[in-house]
Amino acid sequence: MPQFYVTTPIYYVNDEPHLGHIYTTIAADVLARYQRLCGSDVFFLTGVDEHGLKVQQAAEARGIEPIELADQVVDHYRKLWPQLAITNNDFIRTSEARHKTAVQELWRRLDAAGAIYKDTYEDWYCVPCETYWTETQLKDAGALKELQCPDCGRKIERVKEESFFFRLSAYQERLLEHIRAHPEFIAPVSRRNEALRFVEGGLRDLSVSRTTFSWGIHVPDNPEHVVYVWIDALTNYLTALGFPDGEDMRYWPADVHLIGKDILRFHAVYWPCMLMAAGLPLPKRIFAHGWWTVEGEKMSKSKGNVVRPAELLNEMDADIVRYFLLREVPFGHDGDFSHIALKQRYNTELANDVGNLLNRSLAMLQKYRGGRLGVAGEETAIDRSLLAQVEATQRGVEKAMSQQAFHEALEHINTLVRFGNRYVEENAPWSLAKQGEEARLDTVLYHLVESLRLIAMQLAPFMPDKCARMLTQIMNREVNVDEVNMREHGGWGYLQSGHVCAKPEPVFPRME
Ligand code: MSP
C-alpha cells in the first residue's frame, strides 16, 4: 500500500487558533482524506510548538507557568480540530517526553557528524519571530536605524551569549544541488526561487542554543544550554514517527510539509541541512501557501479583525469554510477573506450548481420511477460526453491534488457539475416522461445519479459531511465517507439497476 505523510506547522501556544492556522490544517486534511480515498496508508500530523522565549514571556505576562499556558491553548486546538472534521493521526506537543528524546537524539547525531561547535554569539534578535539578524541584513533591509525586525517590523534586541552553532554553511552547495535537481522540492515556483536566492546569497552558521532562558529542551549533557526553538520545532516531524527507531519511521521522508510563506526559510533551508547532517532523507516537498487578509485588511489583534474559527462555526457548517478557503484562492497565492465572497461562492457553486443537480435528479427519479433506477440503455453522444467528462474530472483532480492545486481540483469538479446541469436541460427528462420514452428516460436518470455519486466522492475530501449526506441519499443508507474508496467505488457503473434512491433532501440550502 503506498504511504503518504503530510504535516502542518506546529502552532505557537501564545495565541488562540485563527484563520491562518485552520487554513493549513484544512488543506492538510483534504490531502490526507484524498490519499485515503485513493487507497494510501496515510499519516497526517499536526500539533503545537510550546517552547521558546515568546511563550515564556506570554506566560509570565499572565502570571502563569509556560506549561499552564500551553495546556490552555492545546485544549482549544484539540476541541477545534474535530469540529472542522480534521482527521489527524497524531497531535504532537513539543513538551512531551517523546519529543525531548527525539530532539536530543538528533542533536547527538549532528554533533557526531561534526556539524556542531561552540562559539560566542553577538547579534540582533527578534523575539516575536524567534529570528536572529546580522547588521548587514538589517542594513540591507533599511532596518538598522530604527532597530526594527525586517520581517515583522517590531523592535529587535541586542544579544550576546555563548552558544552552540550548527555548520549550516557546510551544506550550502549540497542544498543548492538538491533544490536544482528536484524542481518539485519547493513549491510554488515563486517560493522555490526565493529559497534559491537565499541559499545562493550564502549561508551563515546558525546559533542553535540559548543560555538566556529556560523554557525548552536542554542540550544533551549540558543543562545550561537550551536548544534553539526552531531546531526543537522542526524535529517534531520526526518525533511523531517515533524517531529514532519507532515503527512509524517507515513514513519518513514526509511527502509534503505544508507551511505558510513566512516560515519558508526554516523549512526549505535549515531543516534540509539538518537532515543532511544527520544522514536522514529529505522531505519530498515543501509547499508554502500565501496569507489571508480579512475584508481587505491585514489580520491583527490590534485591529480586532482576527477571524476566529469558533465564530465562523457559529454561522455556518465546517464544510462551507473548508470549501471556501480552498476554492477562493489558488493555493500558494495570498487572498482575501470576506463574508460577501464566501456567500457568493456558496450560493453559486454549491447551492445553485451542486445542490440543484442533486435535488432535481433525485426528485425526477422519485417522480417518474418512485426512486428506482432502471436499466441504462443504449448510449447517445451526450451520454458519452458525460462519461468522458467524469473521467476527465477524475484525472484532473488526481493531477491537481498531486500538486496541492486544490482550487484546480475544485474547478474540475465544478465543470462536471455544470455539465451535469446542462445534461438535464438538453435531455429534458420531463419531456421524455410526457412522450413516454421510457427507455431513454431510464438511461438519462441513471447517468445523472451515477455522475452525482462520483461527484460526491470527488468532493468528499473537501466537504466530508455534506458529501456523506449526498451519498446517503443516493445509496439510501447511512454512508460513512471514511469507508468509501476509489478502488471499490470509483468506477462508473457501481450503481445497479433496481437500486432505490432516497427522496431528495436539501444539502446546500441557499444562504441569505
Ligand atoms: N511555531 C511556528 C511553526 C513551527 S513548524 C515546525 C509558527 N507558528 S505560528 O503559530 O506562528 O504560525 C503557524 C502558521 O500560521 C504559519 O504557517 C503561518 O504562515 C500561518 N499563518 C499565520 N497567519 C496567517 C494568515 N493571515 N494567513 C495564512 N496563514 C497564516 O510559525
Side-chain angles (χ1 to χ4, degrees), residues 427-468:
N427 285 291
W430 44 90
S431 310
L432 296 175
K434 208 188 253 159
Q435 290 153 13
E437 294 196 43
E438 303 300 335
R440 182 64 198 149
L441 182 58
D442 274 335
T443 304
V444 168
L445 290 173
Y446 182 89
H447 277 72
L448 281 171
V449 178
E450 185 62 342
S451 307
L452 268 165
R453 189 182 66 81
L454 294 171
I455 287 167
M457 274 184 72
Q458 295 286 335
L459 277 176
F462 295 88
M463 296 185 288
D465 179 58
K466 296 278 186 198
C467 292

Side-chain angles (χ1 to χ4, degrees), residues 9-12 18 20-21 23-24 49 230 233-234 236-237 259-263 267 289-292 299:
I10 48 174
Y11 306 112
Y12 286 130
H18 63 58
H21 306 131
Y23 184 43
T24 331
D49 190 354
W230 270 102
L234 288 161
N236 92 87
Y237 302 131
I259 58 167
K261 63 180 182 179
D262 55 317
I263 54 176
H267 285 83
H289 64 66
W291 270 44
W292 288 92
M299 196 164 65

Side-chain angles (χ1 to χ4, degrees), residues 289-310:
H289 64 66
W291 270 44
W292 288 92
T293 49
V294 175
E295 315 278 351
E297 292 204 61
K298 199 177 160 187
M299 196 164 65
S300 83
K301 274 192 202 163
S302 52
K303 284 206 191 90
N305 65 347
V306 178
V307 176
R308 298 294 177 188

Side-chain angles (χ1 to χ4, degrees), residues 337-352:
F337 183 93
S338 88
H339 282 85
I340 291 186
L342 188 148
K343 202 174 94 179
Q344 254 166 15
R345 280 256 172 235
Y346 175 82
N347 279 340
T348 29
E349 293 174 357
L350 297 178
N352 283 1

Side-chain angles (χ1 to χ4, degrees), residues 306-323:
V306 178
V307 176
R308 298 294 177 188
E311 286 162 25
L312 282 178
L313 292 173
N314 274 341
E315 290 166 39
M316 65 193 85
D317 296 337
D319 280 1
I320 300 177
V321 179
R322 293 171 62 107
Y323 181 86

Side-chain angles (χ1 to χ4, degrees), residues 5-15 17 21-22 24-25 28 43-51 70 73-78 80-81 86 88-96 98-99 233 236-237 240 258:
Y5 181 26
V6 55
T7 67
T8 73
I10 48 174
Y11 306 112
Y12 286 130
V13 292
N14 57 341
D15 192 11
H21 306 131
I22 69 171
T24 331
T25 312
F43 197 99
F44 164 23
L45 176 67
T46 188
V48 288
D49 190 354
E50 300 175 77
H51 292 139
V73 177
V74 162
D75 219 39
H76 291 140
Y77 275 107
R78 284 199 199 273
L80 174 64
W81 294 145
I86 302 297
N88 52 304
N89 298 88
D90 197 349
F91 181 94
I92 182 153
R93 298 187 57 169
T94 54
S95 60
E96 289 166 339
R98 59 175 176 160
H99 186 58
N236 92 87
Y237 302 131
L258 292 186

